[in-house]
Amino acid sequence: MSKQERVAQNACCSPLTREPLTADWAGDLARMFKAIGDPVRLRLLSLVASHAAGEACVCDISGSFELSQPTISHHLKVLREAGLVDCERRGTWVYYRVIPSALTELSAVLSPESGVLGASVCAPTGADVAVGAR
């Protein structure tokens, strides 16, 4: 089952509150969370995501850090291997872009009301609605 299918399968509520994660899915998620658990990689992900046209060349983002270009490339490789970014070589430069479905999966697995539909069994009721309204 693909990551997108797992998220879409029961999008009415967070997988963490709906049922226990499978070992494979937990492993996939752990790789992604581990990749963004490093402050440099989290900043890199943010720089790529917020860059014009949704993609950034290594040459555009390397100057934002006091790290060597090979170190930046290593961190980008970790993000790519975790499935958070994709890349494309253009001449001598590599351009990176965030994979939106990966960010959706990370946010959906943690959000207690991820994609909740009003008539869903996961929709908040009574006291839950009052708490969520704050």
Side-chain angles (χ1 to χ4, degrees):
M1 180 182 300
S2 76
K3 292 178 184 178
Q4 291 84 6
E5 289 171 331
R6 289 189 297 232
V7 170
Q9 179 181 3
N10 289 309
C12 74
C13 52
S14 166
L16 290 179
T17 59
R18 184 177 58 247
E19 61 185 317
L21 299 175
T22 65
D24 288 341
W25 194 7
D28 291 344
L29 289 169
R31 277 187 287 285
M32 288 192 279
F33 282 118
K34 183 177 180 181
I36 60 172
D38 180 280
V40 170
R41 289 193 287 266
L42 186 56
R43 271 193 71 211
L44 280 169
L45 186 67
S46 175
L47 284 167
V48 170
S50 64
H51 204 269
E55 66 178 12
C57 174
V58 173
C59 62
D60 294 331
I61 55 181
S62 293
S64 300
F65 300 89
E66 293 183 17
L67 299 170
S68 67
Q69 193 277 327
T71 301
I72 298 295
S73 291
H74 165 74
H75 284 298
L76 287 165
K77 178 183 173 188
V78 170
L79 290 171
R80 187 173 43 81
E81 289 174 346
L84 295 166
V85 298
D86 200 4
C87 65
E88 176 184 345
R89 180 171 291 282
R90 297 181 196 156
T92 59
W93 295 108
V94 178
Y95 287 79
Y96 288 85
R97 64 189 160 281
V98 171
I99 300 173
S101 61
L103 298 183
T104 300
E105 182 174 11
L106 288 175
S107 63
V109 77
L110 293 178
S111 175
E113 295 179 14
S114 175
V116 173
L117 303 174
S120 166
V121 295
C122 300
T125 58
D128 294 339
V129 172
V131 171
R134 287 184 202 169

mmCIF file of all heavy atoms in Angstrom, residues 76-108:
data_model
loop_
_atom_site.group_PDB
_atom_site.id
_atom_site.type_symbol
_atom_site.label_atom_id
_atom_site.label_comp_id
_atom_site.label_asym_id
_atom_site.label_seq_id
_atom_site.Cartn_x
_atom_site.Cartn_y
_atom_site.Cartn_z
ATOM 1 N N LEU A 76 20.542 17.427 2.062
ATOM 2 C CA LEU A 76 19.493 17.334 1.042
ATOM 3 C C LEU A 76 19.299 15.885 0.594
ATOM 4 O O LEU A 76 18.173 15.457 0.330
ATOM 5 C CB LEU A 76 19.825 18.241 -0.147
ATOM 6 C CG LEU A 76 19.661 19.734 0.131
ATOM 7 C CD1 LEU A 76 20.342 20.561 -0.954
ATOM 8 C CD2 LEU A 76 18.188 20.107 0.252
ATOM 9 N N LYS A 77 20.387 15.123 0.530
ATOM 10 C CA LYS A 77 20.301 13.708 0.176
ATOM 11 C C LYS A 77 19.491 12.943 1.229
ATOM 12 O O LYS A 77 18.665 12.098 0.896
ATOM 13 C CB LYS A 77 21.702 13.112 0.053
ATOM 14 C CG LYS A 77 21.709 11.635 -0.267
ATOM 15 C CD LYS A 77 23.125 11.095 -0.302
ATOM 16 C CE LYS A 77 23.106 9.584 -0.452
ATOM 17 N NZ LYS A 77 24.439 9.007 -0.306
ATOM 18 N N VAL A 78 19.701 13.259 2.501
ATOM 19 C CA VAL A 78 18.940 12.610 3.573
ATOM 20 C C VAL A 78 17.447 12.928 3.410
ATOM 21 O O VAL A 78 16.597 12.040 3.539
ATOM 22 C CB VAL A 78 19.460 13.041 4.968
ATOM 23 C CG1 VAL A 78 18.528 12.558 6.072
ATOM 24 C CG2 VAL A 78 20.874 12.528 5.185
ATOM 25 N N LEU A 79 17.121 14.183 3.117
ATOM 26 C CA LEU A 79 15.717 14.569 2.903
ATOM 27 C C LEU A 79 15.140 13.831 1.692
ATOM 28 O O LEU A 79 13.983 13.400 1.715
ATOM 29 C CB LEU A 79 15.600 16.080 2.712
ATOM 30 C CG LEU A 79 15.867 16.935 3.944
ATOM 31 C CD1 LEU A 79 15.936 18.417 3.564
ATOM 32 C CD2 LEU A 79 14.802 16.708 5.007
ATOM 33 N N ARG A 80 15.941 13.688 0.642
ATOM 34 C CA ARG A 80 15.486 12.988 -0.564
ATOM 35 C C ARG A 80 15.254 11.512 -0.263
ATOM 36 O O ARG A 80 14.224 10.942 -0.634
ATOM 37 C CB ARG A 80 16.496 13.162 -1.693
ATOM 38 C CG ARG A 80 16.020 12.609 -3.020
ATOM 39 C CD ARG A 80 16.958 12.929 -4.179
ATOM 40 N NE ARG A 80 18.359 12.764 -3.886
ATOM 41 C CZ ARG A 80 19.019 11.596 -3.898
ATOM 42 N NH1 ARG A 80 18.382 10.491 -4.169
ATOM 43 N NH2 ARG A 80 20.297 11.544 -3.626
ATOM 44 N N GLU A 81 16.190 10.886 0.435
ATOM 45 C CA GLU A 81 16.054 9.460 0.757
ATOM 46 C C GLU A 81 14.871 9.190 1.696
ATOM 47 O O GLU A 81 14.294 8.106 1.677
ATOM 48 C CB GLU A 81 17.346 8.922 1.363
ATOM 49 C CG GLU A 81 18.465 8.815 0.345
ATOM 50 C CD GLU A 81 19.808 8.427 0.937
ATOM 51 O OE1 GLU A 81 19.969 8.497 2.187
ATOM 52 O OE2 GLU A 81 20.698 8.064 0.158
ATOM 53 N N ALA A 82 14.505 10.186 2.487
ATOM 54 C CA ALA A 82 13.352 10.055 3.382
ATOM 55 C C ALA A 82 12.031 10.282 2.645
ATOM 56 O O ALA A 82 10.962 10.084 3.211
ATOM 57 C CB ALA A 82 13.475 11.039 4.547
ATOM 58 N N GLY A 83 12.111 10.704 1.388
ATOM 59 C CA GLY A 83 10.904 10.917 0.594
ATOM 60 C C GLY A 83 10.254 12.267 0.792
ATOM 61 O O GLY A 83 9.088 12.452 0.461
ATOM 62 N N LEU A 84 11.001 13.230 1.326
ATOM 63 C CA LEU A 84 10.442 14.554 1.584
ATOM 64 C C LEU A 84 10.684 15.537 0.444
ATOM 65 O O LEU A 84 9.906 16.478 0.261
ATOM 66 C CB LEU A 84 11.025 15.123 2.881
ATOM 67 C CG LEU A 84 10.628 14.342 4.127
ATOM 68 C CD1 LEU A 84 11.493 14.744 5.308
ATOM 69 C CD2 LEU A 84 9.157 14.553 4.433
ATOM 70 N N VAL A 85 11.767 15.359 -0.288
ATOM 71 C CA VAL A 85 12.065 16.216 -1.435
ATOM 72 C C VAL A 85 12.446 15.355 -2.625
ATOM 73 O O VAL A 85 12.838 14.197 -2.480
ATOM 74 C CB VAL A 85 13.206 17.240 -1.149
ATOM 75 C CG1 VAL A 85 12.826 18.194 -0.037
ATOM 76 C CG2 VAL A 85 14.516 16.544 -0.865
ATOM 77 N N ASP A 86 12.321 15.945 -3.789
ATOM 78 C CA ASP A 86 12.760 15.321 -5.026
ATOM 79 C C ASP A 86 13.715 16.295 -5.687
ATOM 80 O O ASP A 86 13.737 17.484 -5.324
ATOM 81 C CB ASP A 86 11.556 15.036 -5.932
ATOM 82 C CG ASP A 86 11.860 13.988 -6.988
ATOM 83 O OD1 ASP A 86 12.969 13.419 -6.984
ATOM 84 O OD2 ASP A 86 10.980 13.739 -7.833
ATOM 85 N N CYS A 87 14.495 15.815 -6.624
ATOM 86 C CA CYS A 87 15.461 16.709 -7.249
ATOM 87 C C CYS A 87 15.571 16.440 -8.739
ATOM 88 O O CYS A 87 15.147 15.396 -9.234
ATOM 89 C CB CYS A 87 16.825 16.600 -6.584
ATOM 90 S SG CYS A 87 17.603 14.985 -6.781
ATOM 91 N N GLU A 88 16.147 17.426 -9.430
ATOM 92 C CA GLU A 88 16.361 17.329 -10.864
ATOM 93 C C GLU A 88 17.656 18.062 -11.186
ATOM 94 O O GLU A 88 17.854 19.204 -10.764
ATOM 95 C CB GLU A 88 15.192 17.980 -11.601
ATOM 96 C CG GLU A 88 15.340 18.025 -13.095
ATOM 97 C CD GLU A 88 14.177 18.768 -13.755
ATOM 98 O OE1 GLU A 88 13.144 18.987 -13.108
ATOM 99 O OE2 GLU A 88 14.340 19.126 -14.927
ATOM 100 N N ARG A 89 18.548 17.384 -11.923
ATOM 101 C CA ARG A 89 19.802 18.006 -12.328
ATOM 102 C C ARG A 89 19.563 18.815 -13.595
ATOM 103 O O ARG A 89 18.952 18.346 -14.547
ATOM 104 C CB ARG A 89 20.873 16.947 -12.577
ATOM 105 C CG ARG A 89 22.209 17.553 -13.012
ATOM 106 C CD ARG A 89 23.324 16.548 -13.060
ATOM 107 N NE ARG A 89 23.719 16.069 -11.754
ATOM 108 C CZ ARG A 89 24.483 16.757 -10.904
ATOM 109 N NH1 ARG A 89 24.904 17.954 -11.216
ATOM 110 N NH2 ARG A 89 24.809 16.231 -9.743
ATOM 111 N N ARG A 90 20.043 20.055 -13.573
ATOM 112 C CA ARG A 90 19.985 20.939 -14.743
ATOM 113 C C ARG A 90 21.382 21.501 -14.944
ATOM 114 O O ARG A 90 21.800 22.407 -14.218
ATOM 115 C CB ARG A 90 18.992 22.074 -14.528
ATOM 116 C CG ARG A 90 17.567 21.594 -14.345
ATOM 117 C CD ARG A 90 16.616 22.744 -14.167
ATOM 118 N NE ARG A 90 15.364 22.265 -13.621
ATOM 119 C CZ ARG A 90 14.516 23.014 -12.940
ATOM 120 N NH1 ARG A 90 14.792 24.289 -12.715
ATOM 121 N NH2 ARG A 90 13.410 22.497 -12.467
ATOM 122 N N GLY A 91 22.070 20.958 -15.889
ATOM 123 C CA GLY A 91 23.458 21.361 -16.109
ATOM 124 C C GLY A 91 24.309 20.911 -14.937
ATOM 125 O O GLY A 91 24.313 19.742 -14.566
ATOM 126 N N THR A 92 24.994 21.857 -14.314
ATOM 127 C CA THR A 92 25.853 21.513 -13.175
ATOM 128 C C THR A 92 25.136 21.651 -11.845
ATOM 129 O O THR A 92 25.689 21.285 -10.808
ATOM 130 C CB THR A 92 27.117 22.400 -13.162
ATOM 131 O OG1 THR A 92 26.710 23.768 -13.080
ATOM 132 C CG2 THR A 92 27.959 22.173 -14.401
ATOM 133 N N TRP A 93 23.911 22.186 -11.847
ATOM 134 C CA TRP A 93 23.187 22.422 -10.597
ATOM 135 C C TRP A 93 22.062 21.420 -10.405
ATOM 136 O O TRP A 93 21.498 20.893 -11.354
ATOM 137 C CB TRP A 93 22.610 23.843 -10.562
ATOM 138 C CG TRP A 93 23.683 24.871 -10.553
ATOM 139 C CD1 TRP A 93 24.023 25.711 -11.586
ATOM 140 C CD2 TRP A 93 24.586 25.167 -9.491
ATOM 141 N NE1 TRP A 93 25.079 26.511 -11.225
ATOM 142 C CE2 TRP A 93 25.447 26.199 -9.937
ATOM 143 C CE3 TRP A 93 24.765 24.664 -8.216
ATOM 144 C CZ2 TRP A 93 26.452 26.728 -9.145
ATOM 145 C CZ3 TRP A 93 25.766 25.199 -7.423
ATOM 146 C CH2 TRP A 93 26.592 26.216 -7.893
ATOM 147 N N VAL A 94 21.738 21.194 -9.147
ATOM 148 C CA VAL A 94 20.626 20.309 -8.799
ATOM 149 C C VAL A 94 19.546 21.166 -8.144
ATOM 150 O O VAL A 94 19.819 21.949 -7.233
ATOM 151 C CB VAL A 94 21.077 19.184 -7.834
ATOM 152 C CG1 VAL A 94 19.898 18.301 -7.456
ATOM 153 C CG2 VAL A 94 22.189 18.351 -8.469
ATOM 154 N N TYR A 95 18.314 21.026 -8.624
ATOM 155 C CA TYR A 95 17.166 21.762 -8.102
ATOM 156 C C TYR A 95 16.310 20.812 -7.272
ATOM 157 O O TYR A 95 16.004 19.698 -7.699
ATOM 158 C CB TYR A 95 16.337 22.354 -9.250
ATOM 159 C CG TYR A 95 17.019 23.517 -9.911
ATOM 160 C CD1 TYR A 95 18.041 23.317 -10.835
ATOM 161 C CD2 TYR A 95 16.660 24.816 -9.593
ATOM 162 C CE1 TYR A 95 18.679 24.393 -11.433
ATOM 163 C CE2 TYR A 95 17.295 25.899 -10.186
ATOM 164 C CZ TYR A 95 18.307 25.669 -11.098
ATOM 165 O OH TYR A 95 18.942 26.742 -11.678
ATOM 166 N N TYR A 96 15.919 21.282 -6.096
ATOM 167 C CA TYR A 96 15.123 20.487 -5.166
ATOM 168 C C TYR A 96 13.730 21.076 -5.026
ATOM 169 O O TYR A 96 13.556 22.285 -5.068
ATOM 170 C CB TYR A 96 15.796 20.437 -3.789
ATOM 171 C CG TYR A 96 17.030 19.577 -3.787
ATOM 172 C CD1 TYR A 96 18.260 20.089 -4.174
ATOM 173 C CD2 TYR A 96 16.956 18.240 -3.413
ATOM 174 C CE1 TYR A 96 19.394 19.289 -4.191
ATOM 175 C CE2 TYR A 96 18.079 17.429 -3.421
ATOM 176 C CZ TYR A 96 19.295 17.966 -3.817
ATOM 177 O OH TYR A 96 20.411 17.172 -3.840
ATOM 178 N N ARG A 97 12.755 20.192 -4.843
ATOM 179 C CA ARG A 97 11.368 20.611 -4.589
ATOM 180 C C ARG A 97 10.774 19.672 -3.549
ATOM 181 O O ARG A 97 11.116 18.486 -3.494
ATOM 182 C CB ARG A 97 10.546 20.636 -5.861
ATOM 183 C CG ARG A 97 10.359 19.296 -6.514
ATOM 184 C CD ARG A 97 9.720 19.422 -7.909
ATOM 185 N NE ARG A 97 9.979 18.231 -8.698
ATOM 186 C CZ ARG A 97 11.120 17.960 -9.339
ATOM 187 N NH1 ARG A 97 12.111 18.812 -9.291
ATOM 188 N NH2 ARG A 97 11.261 16.848 -10.016
ATOM 189 N N VAL A 98 9.903 20.204 -2.728
ATOM 190 C CA VAL A 98 9.240 19.422 -1.684
ATOM 191 C C VAL A 98 8.181 18.539 -2.327
ATOM 192 O O VAL A 98 7.524 18.935 -3.289
ATOM 193 C CB VAL A 98 8.610 20.370 -0.635
ATOM 194 C CG1 VAL A 98 7.731 19.615 0.334
ATOM 195 C CG2 VAL A 98 9.698 21.115 0.110
ATOM 196 N N ILE A 99 8.006 17.353 -1.791
ATOM 197 C CA ILE A 99 6.952 16.442 -2.240
ATOM 198 C C ILE A 99 5.730 16.717 -1.360
ATOM 199 O O ILE A 99 5.716 16.361 -0.176
ATOM 200 C CB ILE A 99 7.406 14.978 -2.128
ATOM 201 C CG1 ILE A 99 8.641 14.749 -3.005
ATOM 202 C CG2 ILE A 99 6.264 14.027 -2.512
ATOM 203 C CD1 ILE A 99 9.279 13.386 -2.843
ATOM 204 N N PRO A 100 4.717 17.398 -1.905
ATOM 205 C CA PRO A 100 3.557 17.798 -1.100
ATOM 206 C C PRO A 100 2.874 16.629 -0.378
ATOM 207 O O PRO A 100 2.449 16.771 0.763
ATOM 208 C CB PRO A 100 2.607 18.447 -2.115
ATOM 209 C CG PRO A 100 3.492 18.875 -3.238
ATOM 210 C CD PRO A 100 4.602 17.855 -3.285
ATOM 211 N N SER A 101 2.771 15.480 -1.024
ATOM 212 C CA SER A 101 2.082 14.346 -0.386
ATOM 213 C C SER A 101 2.823 13.872 0.856
ATOM 214 O O SER A 101 2.201 13.373 1.798
ATOM 215 C CB SER A 101 1.908 13.195 -1.378
ATOM 216 O OG SER A 101 3.172 12.731 -1.831
ATOM 217 N N ALA A 102 4.147 14.041 0.898
ATOM 218 C CA ALA A 102 4.910 13.648 2.085
ATOM 219 C C ALA A 102 4.573 14.564 3.255
ATOM 220 O O ALA A 102 4.395 14.100 4.383
ATOM 221 C CB ALA A 102 6.405 13.681 1.792
ATOM 222 N N LEU A 103 4.478 15.876 2.983
ATOM 223 C CA LEU A 103 4.109 16.813 4.046
ATOM 224 C C LEU A 103 2.678 16.564 4.510
ATOM 225 O O LEU A 103 2.381 16.649 5.704
ATOM 226 C CB LEU A 103 4.267 18.256 3.575
ATOM 227 C CG LEU A 103 5.685 18.690 3.194
ATOM 228 C CD1 LEU A 103 5.707 20.158 2.819
ATOM 229 C CD2 LEU A 103 6.665 18.395 4.300
ATOM 230 N N THR A 104 1.809 16.235 3.575
ATOM 231 C CA THR A 104 0.426 15.920 3.920
ATOM 232 C C THR A 104 0.373 14.701 4.830
ATOM 233 O O THR A 104 -0.352 14.681 5.825
ATOM 234 C CB THR A 104 -0.410 15.667 2.649
ATOM 235 O OG1 THR A 104 -0.382 16.845 1.852
ATOM 236 C CG2 THR A 104 -1.839 15.283 2.979
ATOM 237 N N GLU A 105 1.172 13.690 4.498
ATOM 238 C CA GLU A 105 1.182 12.474 5.318
ATOM 239 C C GLU A 105 1.684 12.760 6.732
ATOM 240 O O GLU A 105 1.096 12.300 7.713
ATOM 241 C CB GLU A 105 2.055 11.406 4.669
ATOM 242 C CG GLU A 105 2.058 10.118 5.444
ATOM 243 C CD GLU A 105 2.805 8.994 4.749
ATOM 244 O OE1 GLU A 105 3.507 9.238 3.762
ATOM 245 O OE2 GLU A 105 2.678 7.854 5.233
ATOM 246 N N LEU A 106 2.755 13.534 6.841
ATOM 247 C CA LEU A 106 3.293 13.857 8.164
ATOM 248 C C LEU A 106 2.285 14.637 8.998
ATOM 249 O O LEU A 106 2.107 14.362 10.180
ATOM 250 C CB LEU A 106 4.592 14.655 8.032
ATOM 251 C CG LEU A 106 5.807 13.879 7.544
ATOM 252 C CD1 LEU A 106 6.983 14.821 7.355
ATOM 253 C CD2 LEU A 106 6.152 12.760 8.501
ATOM 254 N N SER A 107 1.638 15.609 8.375
ATOM 255 C CA SER A 107 0.684 16.404 9.139
ATOM 256 C C SER A 107 -0.572 15.605 9.466
ATOM 257 O O SER A 107 -1.123 15.725 10.558
ATOM 258 C CB SER A 107 0.334 17.699 8.408
ATOM 259 O OG SER A 107 -0.297 17.425 7.181
ATOM 260 N N ALA A 108 -1.010 14.770 8.544
ATOM 261 C CA ALA A 108 -2.234 14.001 8.765
ATOM 262 C C ALA A 108 -2.068 12.977 9.877
ATOM 263 O O ALA A 108 -3.001 12.727 10.638
ATOM 264 C CB ALA A 108 -2.656 13.297 7.481
#
